[in-house]
Amino acid sequence: MTILCQPATAPDDDLVPDLGGSVKSVDDLNAALRALNDDPAEDLVVVGPSVDTDTALRFAAQLRFDRPVAGVILVRDVVDVTLLTEALRAGVREVVAAGDTVALLAACERSRVLSDRARADLRSHDEPEPTRQGKVVTVFSAKGGCGKTTLAINLAAALAAAHGERVCLVDLDLAFGDVAISVQLDPVRTISDALPMAGHLDTTGAASLLTPYRPGLDMLLAPIAPGDAEKIPAALVGELLTVLRGMYDFVVVDTPAQFSEHVLTAMDVSDHHVLLTTPDTPALKNLRLTIDMLDLLSYSRDIRSVLVNRSDSKVGLSTADVERVVRSPLNGQVPSSRNVPISINKGVPIVIGTPTHPVSQAITRFANDRLLSRPVAVRTRAFARRGAGRRS
């Protein structure tokens, strides 16, 4: 059942036909609160356009503390950036334009999913055992064109397919992220929507930013509007990853091909660094520089894996040659195949579309050997930047 708040004196704003299913209509927000208290299983309040905006926002802000699993959806005649910012800050799940029935039904369904997750999180927090923290895995390559985004997507899909793990893929290439287009997702919500929540982000807020892809696999997509990348502070990235690791078994981070402050922040909170290269001289040179930089910044070598993509390319470099150049052992090799770009064009990761393919098997084997086989501590302190973890 959905609780719908709309004054009886505003028949033109009747949203009952738009909501479908069981709907309980109330005249004001006080009555909505009573209805919530009367039915502990109900977690959705839709506020019609005739209800004063400021009153609705105060109601949502208070409800966020009194009933954190409950969601508020605001229906307005006019939706603009100012309203969206104020609504997100108050804890409103979504703002929908009046008359858009499809959007309203979809928003209600997303809100119910978020409430179910929040309720499950609260139940787990009530247990006497400490909550297990998930692993943050950052995928990085200092040279573009190595297949980093493709690997990150398929690695996340492989982890999600194993033992029912819950996985979130974060596209941290804020200016030119390709995760959404690679899996054909519509980036309705992106990381830039977290800006109003900076400094007080919680699991409910983080969940509102995610785009579901498959059961067990959600994605936090990169901004799409020009200039949005510059607005996102590195501190917000750290805040997001910290919250997400409490919600998922694995958080896989796809990064741009540069050592930005955002990338270093992700590496700070990571439990594992996956360094990707291809068997060609420029990529190997950049990998060698990457390893030197990570050593200089005192990141632990124990959380590092070197993975070679297109490892069977006939370019005159053997595995021994690659290891000699980078002065580091290889932890995995992924063969080349024309089926990989085909899978990208179809929007289906190859580990999902063809799990028996040699590329899929190589990525799955790497996930099992380097990530799934290593238990996660209740409170991880894997990062070692700027001397935080290295011991003399």
Side-chain angles (χ1 to χ4, degrees):
M1 183 180 70
T2 300
I3 298 172
L4 171 62
C5 181
Q6 60 176 8
T9 55
D12 292 340
D13 293 337
D14 187 15
L15 298 174
V16 173
D18 295 341
L19 293 171
S22 179
V23 179
K24 179 179 178 61
S25 293
V26 296
D27 290 334
D28 56 51
L29 292 171
N30 288 329
L33 184 58
R34 289 194 297 271
L36 280 173
N37 293 333
D38 292 340
D39 186 0
E42 181 52 61
D43 294 316
L44 176 61
V45 178
V46 175
V47 182
S50 296
V51 178
D52 176 68
T53 298
D54 290 339
T55 303
L57 295 183
R58 286 194 298 270
F59 171 81
Q62 186 61 44
L63 192 64
R64 188 171 188 175
F65 292 99
D66 297 341
R67 187 86 170 262
V69 298
V72 176
I73 294 176
L74 197 59
V75 181
R76 300 286 95 174
D77 292 321
V78 177
V79 179
D80 55 29
V81 174
T82 300
L83 173 61
L84 289 173
T85 301
E86 292 176 349
L88 282 172
R89 186 175 292 118
V92 173
R93 291 257 172 97
E94 297 195 38
V95 182
V96 180
D100 194 339
T101 303
V102 174
L104 180 57
L105 287 172
C108 290
E109 181 59 29
R110 286 192 293 267
S111 182
R112 292 189 181 95
V113 171
L114 294 178
S115 292
D116 289 342
R117 290 179 181 172
R119 192 180 294 108
D121 287 340
L122 286 176
R123 282 198 297 266
S124 66
H125 280 73
D126 290 338
E127 297 175 358
E129 294 297 321
T131 303
R132 183 171 71 90
Q133 296 289 295
K135 273 186 179 179
V136 177
V137 180
T138 295
V139 181
F140 180 77
S141 173
K143 180 180 179 298
C146 289
K148 176 177 47 57
T149 296
T150 301
L151 174 72
I153 293 171
N154 280 278
L155 183 60
L159 289 168
H163 313 298
E165 303 287 346
R166 296 193 64 231
V167 181
C168 179
L169 174 61
V170 177
D171 191 348
L172 201 58
D173 192 345
L174 301 176
F176 301 103
D178 286 330
V179 168
I181 196 170
S182 296
V183 293
Q184 297 182 6
L185 284 178
D186 184 13
V188 175
R189 299 179 298 282
T190 72
I191 194 172
S192 61
D193 293 314
L195 284 169
M197 296 179 274
H200 53 85
L201 185 71
D202 56 16
T203 56
T204 301
S208 70
L209 307 170
L210 303 174
T211 302
Y213 177 59
R214 291 175 61 87
L217 178 56
D218 298 327
M219 299 189 177
L220 179 53
L221 303 176
I224 56 174
D228 276 0
E230 288 74 21
K231 300 176 184 177
I232 299 171
L236 179 57
V237 172
E239 190 178 4
L240 275 165
L241 294 180
T242 299
V243 173
L244 289 173
R245 79 183 312 160
M247 300 167 59
Y248 291 89
D249 297 299
F250 285 92
V251 179
V252 179
V253 184
D254 182 31
T255 58
Q258 59 181 4
F259 272 118
S260 65
E261 190 64 23
H262 299 81
V263 171
L264 290 174
T265 298
M267 288 186 164
D268 278 355
V269 301
S270 290
D271 300 273
H272 208 92
H273 301 153
V274 178
L275 308 181
L276 186 66
T277 187
T278 48
D280 57 85
T281 301
L284 294 175
K285 181 267 294 182
N286 283 7
L287 173 60
R288 180 63 254 169
L289 293 175
T290 296
I291 292 174
D292 290 343
M293 177 65 75
L294 296 180
D295 287 342
L296 181 65
L297 294 174
S298 298
Y299 286 104
S300 171
R301 296 180 182 181
D302 294 336
I303 64 170
R304 184 183 305 166
S305 290
V306 176
L307 188 63
V308 180
N309 195 21
R310 306 171 198 139
S311 59
D312 57 349
S313 301
K314 301 184 184 304
V315 293
L317 290 176
S318 65
T319 298
D321 293 330
V322 174
E323 290 181 332
R324 184 171 60 255
V325 170
V326 301
R327 299 195 296 275
S328 178
L330 304 183
N331 304 111
Q333 300 184 54
V334 179
S336 58
S337 172
R338 62 187 295 270
N339 295 112
V340 174
I342 290 175
S343 71
I344 296 171
N345 291 337
K346 289 181 178 178
V348 180
I350 193 168
V351 299
I352 295 175
T354 317
T356 58
H357 192 280
V359 171
S360 305
Q361 292 178 334
I363 295 174
T364 301
R365 185 165 53 249
F366 174 81
N368 288 330
D369 294 346
R370 300 295 294 176
L371 302 175
L372 289 165
S373 63
R374 300 186 176 190
V376 184
V378 171
R379 175 59 178 162
T380 61
R381 297 293 294 177
F383 59 88
R385 185 180 170 199
R386 294 171 185 162
R390 174 172 286 187
R391 297 292 180 259
S392 58

